[in-house]
Amino acid sequence: MASLLSLNIGRIIPTDHATPGETGIDKRPVPGPVAVSAPGPKGTGGSGLAGDGIRDLRHHGGDDQAVYAYAAEDLDAWAAELGRELRPGMFGENLTTLGVDVTGALIGERWRVGPQVVLEVTTARIPCRTFAGWMGESRWVRRFTERGVPGAYLRVIVPGEIRAGDGIEVVHRPDHDVTVGIAFRALTTERDLLPTLLAARALHPEAVAQAALGEPITLDGP
């Protein structure tokens, strides 16, 4: 059964890499329960998880990027490649999932997490300089992009509380074939795929705009 291996939230901390400032990327596991709700429009709304800090509201957070999920299996594969431990939350994810094909999830797919909360997949995570600085790995943005397992952003459809160990059930799959993986490739390296994204009605509005223009987008900033 698919489940929530770890529930992760973070406080805002100073960055200690080449780009000075503050970041909320350092997510740490918590037992829960944690309240989940739609945070409001991007630019003013932050995380969908209570107590989770987001510093750059211009590029992060908001209703269409309320929650970020990454698969434990993909995190483990990166750990093996990098030769270092990658704890849950290390990629800045709120949900470290177990038994969920996050890259293969359809845009608009809905997950019930625990008994109450329903989340909807909106797009793929695009790597940024803050992520690269946090990881401290050579050519990290390029390597992450080439691997093509970006994790997924989700919006909150039904609010409630979740905790580590909750089950995850796919309760709706839309009638198209636009996956998180396809969206990521279209928005980064394969521009010819952009028009295909328009079949996904639940797609992040910024990605919809870029698909219509035929040009890639950087949802997470430069």
Side-chain angles (χ1 to χ4, degrees):
M1 177 180 175
S3 63
L4 179 56
L5 176 67
S6 181
L7 174 62
N8 316 301
I9 64 175
R11 60 186 179 87
I12 296 173
I13 60 171
T15 58
D16 58 359
H17 49 79
T19 305
E22 295 179 321
T23 178
I25 198 171
D26 184 14
K27 310 299 185 190
R28 301 282 175 154
V30 295
V34 172
V36 180
S37 61
K42 190 173 183 178
T44 58
S47 174
L49 275 66
D52 183 40
I54 292 182
R55 176 64 179 86
D56 183 3
L57 297 180
R58 188 164 64 97
H59 293 117
H60 300 272
D63 288 339
D64 301 301
Q65 293 172 225
V67 180
Y68 175 49
Y70 203 81
E73 295 85 352
D74 295 330
L75 202 63
D76 288 345
W78 274 116
E81 178 175 326
L82 299 176
R84 56 187 274 201
E85 180 182 0
L86 296 177
R87 57 167 173 76
M90 187 67 188
F91 278 15
E93 79 275 12
N94 301 116
L95 312 182
T96 309
T97 66
L98 188 65
V100 178
D101 181 7
V102 176
T103 306
L106 296 172
I107 302 299
E109 183 173 300
R110 293 186 176 186
W111 305 348
R112 178 178 290 116
V113 184
Q116 298 174 303
V117 173
V118 177
L119 306 175
E120 182 176 72
V121 177
T122 66
T123 193
R125 184 257 193 90
I126 308 297
C128 62
R129 288 182 298 195
T130 297
F131 186 27
W134 170 248
M135 291 299 297
E137 297 285 345
S138 175
R139 299 173 57 252
W140 179 248
V141 169
R142 181 179 293 274
R143 292 169 72 181
F144 188 84
T145 301
E146 289 174 348
R147 175 66 67 85
V149 285
Y153 283 124
L154 304 104
R155 63 173 60 95
V156 180
I157 302 299
V158 179
E161 291 185 338
I162 59 176
R163 66 184 72 217
D166 276 346
I168 300 177
E169 178 187 2
V170 176
V171 294
H172 170 71
R173 286 178 64 85
D175 187 20
H176 61 72
D177 60 359
V178 182
T179 64
V180 168
I182 289 172
F184 182 71
R185 287 158 48 202
L187 294 168
T188 54
T189 60
E190 298 184 40
R191 186 175 303 186
D192 58 311
L193 291 175
L194 280 168
T196 68
L197 302 188
L198 296 174
R201 296 181 180 179
L203 186 66
H204 191 298
E206 293 179 15
V208 171
Q210 294 302 311
L213 290 172
E215 296 186 5
I217 187 174
T218 303
L219 288 172
D220 281 355

